[in-house]
């Protein structure tokens, strides 16, 4: 989200209205860091609304009223609703203020809710509401931004394909790249990254602790596993397993890792952790679900079923280099933020061209 807003701010003056993170204790520190960066890169105003579970999963009147006040008092060229239920606000505000809506979806939310309902029945109750909100937002939008071709196929059932643009997850080559010296210290390090408020990440991490790590250690007792992510459950403990919780900068841990794993039972959209690990030159072992929409053309991405993970980990530690730099140029062509956002910028201008009145008023985009 930070990279997305910062890159758009190179083209537009942005007023950013958002909830304050997602309830983590570290939110204030993270918010301040992105706040400072956004100010440098063109985010002219930022308004933080207090986080609430009901507001996040259903609707926040405070968030809506704050955005509505700006739109009533100032001219804006575009309204960009980013991620999931932001579309519920976007379609209402766009209709009320007659402003072009861009709906950016990071995955097909209702399908994710149906999958998560296997582990959390509350998600099944919310799935019809999510379905309605997504479909309504797509139909109201001038442009719908999806993260994969699979998501485009879903939304094409609701709107014409020419109103959809696929912008995959990206990375900044200046900060995520393979131009560094490989760590030579022992022991071999296996890395898993994920926000542990996600049930899917908790399931994957427990699988590492209880199944994958013990099986690997029978053959390689020197291997260490690192689990990184906010709000880890207390049971993520085991021999040669370190659960570090939230870290502010993943870069040093990715550089140190010999292998990155994504043993996901299910997933949607495009995993940020995999795209970022590829950029750092890491080999990633993922399930078909964990690899998701990422092209299998990258040899760094190794796809295997869950039951094969221990054997594949041992094999990859013995055969793969700590850094694979050969496909970095191809990764940049497909995933670098500079090229992705330039394409999005063109589509915004094509689909949501400024009216003569908006140009005369000198409006600014809203997110």
């Amino acid at each position: 989200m930070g990279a997305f807003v910062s890159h758009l701010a190179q083209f537009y003056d942005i007023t950013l209205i958002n909830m304050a993170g997602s309830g983590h204790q570290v939110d204030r520190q993270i918010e301040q860091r992105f706040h400072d960066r956004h100010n440098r890169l063109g985010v002219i105003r930022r308004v933080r609304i207090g986080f609430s579970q009901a507001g996040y999963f259903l609707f926040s009147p405070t968030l809506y009223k704050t955005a509505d006040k700006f739109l009533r008092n100032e001219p804006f060229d575009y309204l960009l609703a980013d991620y999931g239920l932001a579309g519920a606000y976007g379609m209402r505000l766009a209709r009320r203020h007659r402003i072009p809506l861009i709906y950016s979806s990071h995955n097909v939310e209702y399908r994710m809710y149906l999958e998560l309902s296997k582990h959390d029945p509350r998600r099944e109750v919310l799935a019809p509401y999510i379905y309605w909100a997504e479909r309504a937002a797509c139909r109201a939008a001038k442009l719908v931004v999806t993260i994969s071709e699979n998501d485009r196929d879903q939304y094409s059932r609701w709107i014409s394909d020419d109103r959809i643009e696929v912008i995959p997850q990206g990375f900044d080559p200046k900060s995520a790249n393979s131009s560094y010296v490989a760590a030579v210290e022992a022991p071999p390090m296996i890395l898993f990254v994920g926000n542990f408020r996600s049930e899917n990440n908790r399931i994957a991490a427990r699988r590492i602790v209880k199944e994958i790590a013990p099986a690997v250690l029978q053959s390689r007792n020197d291997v260490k596993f690192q689990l990184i992510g906010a709000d880890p459950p207390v049971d993520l403990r085991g021999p040669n397993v370190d659960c570090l919780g939230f870290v502010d900068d993943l870069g040093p841990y990715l550089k140190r890792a010999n292998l990155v794993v994504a043993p996901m039972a299910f997933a949607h959209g495009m995993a940020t952790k995999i795209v970022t690990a590829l950029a750092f030159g890491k080999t990633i072992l993922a399930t078909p679900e964990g690899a998701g929409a990422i092209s299998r053309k990258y040899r760094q991405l190794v796809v295997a079923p869950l039951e094969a993970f221990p054997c594949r980990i041992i094999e990859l530690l013995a055969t793969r280099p700590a850094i694979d730099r050969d496909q970095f140029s191809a990764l940049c062509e497909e995933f670098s933020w500079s090229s992705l956002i330039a394409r999005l910028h063109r589509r915004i201008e094509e689909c949501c061209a400024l009216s003569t009145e908006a140009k005369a008023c000198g409006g600014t985009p809203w997110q």
Side-chain angles (χ1 to χ4, degrees), residues 141-196:
K142 292 287 186 181
L143 175 66
V144 174
V145 182
T146 72
I147 205 167
S148 70
E149 290 293 340
N150 289 338
D151 291 358
R152 179 207 283 270
D153 292 342
Q154 170 62 47
Y155 289 148
S156 293
R157 302 174 187 176
W158 298 340
I159 60 174
S160 61
D161 189 66
D162 60 355
R163 289 166 54 194
I164 304 173
E165 182 73 13
V166 178
I167 302 290
Q169 186 54 267
F171 67 92
D172 183 354
K174 294 179 182 178
S175 57
N177 57 68
S178 54
S179 300
Y180 61 93
V181 178
V184 295
E185 65 263 33
M189 194 69 69
I190 312 297
L191 179 65
F192 173 80
V193 177
N195 183 337
F196 292 113

Side-chain angles (χ1 to χ4, degrees), residues 93-318:
L93 292 166
R95 186 181 303 114
R96 180 172 185 177
H97 296 282
R98 298 184 179 181
I99 182 173
L101 170 63
I102 304 159
Y103 174 52
S104 177
S105 171
H106 293 218
N107 52 61
V108 180
E109 288 286 303
Y110 87 87
R111 293 195 308 202
M112 184 185 71
Y113 271 62
L114 289 174
E115 191 71 47
L116 289 170
S117 68
K118 298 174 183 177
H119 307 278
D120 183 354
R122 294 172 297 179
R123 299 278 186 163
E124 187 173 13
V125 175
L126 289 173
Y129 169 59
I130 305 299
Y131 177 89
W132 166 83
E134 280 191 287
R135 186 175 64 172
C138 287
R139 291 178 173 177
K142 292 287 186 181
L143 175 66
V144 174
V145 182
T146 72
I147 205 167
S148 70
E149 290 293 340
N150 289 338
D151 291 358
R152 179 207 283 270
D153 292 342
Q154 170 62 47
Y155 289 148
S156 293
R157 302 174 187 176
W158 298 340
I159 60 174
S160 61
D161 189 66
D162 60 355
R163 289 166 54 194
I164 304 173
E165 182 73 13
V166 178
I167 302 290
Q169 186 54 267
F171 67 92
D172 183 354
K174 294 179 182 178
S175 57
N177 57 68
S178 54
S179 300
Y180 61 93
V181 178
V184 295
E185 65 263 33
M189 194 69 69
I190 312 297
L191 179 65
F192 173 80
V193 177
N195 183 337
F196 292 113
R197 293 194 115 185
S198 163
E199 180 67 24
N200 197 14
N201 286 328
R202 291 196 297 270
I203 293 170
R206 288 183 177 122
R207 183 172 288 116
I208 291 172
V209 172
K210 297 177 181 180
E211 301 173 18
I212 297 172
V216 170
L217 293 174
Q218 288 181 4
S219 299
R220 290 283 305 264
N221 61 10
D222 60 330
V223 175
K224 298 284 188 180
F225 290 80
Q226 280 187 337
L227 312 179
I228 293 179
D231 294 340
V234 295
D235 60 341
L236 295 185
R237 298 171 183 168
N240 289 26
V241 177
D242 293 324
C243 186
L244 304 182
F246 174 84
V247 300
D248 186 57
D249 183 7
L250 277 173
Y253 298 93
L254 282 165
K255 291 177 180 178
R256 171 64 181 86
N258 297 81
L259 183 66
V260 177
V261 294
M264 320 305 289
F266 58 91
H268 298 274
M270 181 169 291
T272 305
K273 58 186 135 191
I274 292 182
V275 173
T276 304
L278 288 171
F280 274 95
K282 298 290 110 172
T283 295
I284 300 98
L285 176 62
T287 59
E289 295 81 8
I294 298 174
S295 172
R296 305 307 193 260
K297 68 183 179 183
Y298 298 106
R299 67 168 175 267
Q300 294 163 249
L301 180 59
V302 179
V303 179
L306 280 169
E307 59 269 19
F309 263 53
C311 292
R312 295 308 304 270
I313 286 173
I314 294 168
E315 172 197 336
L316 293 170
L317 286 176

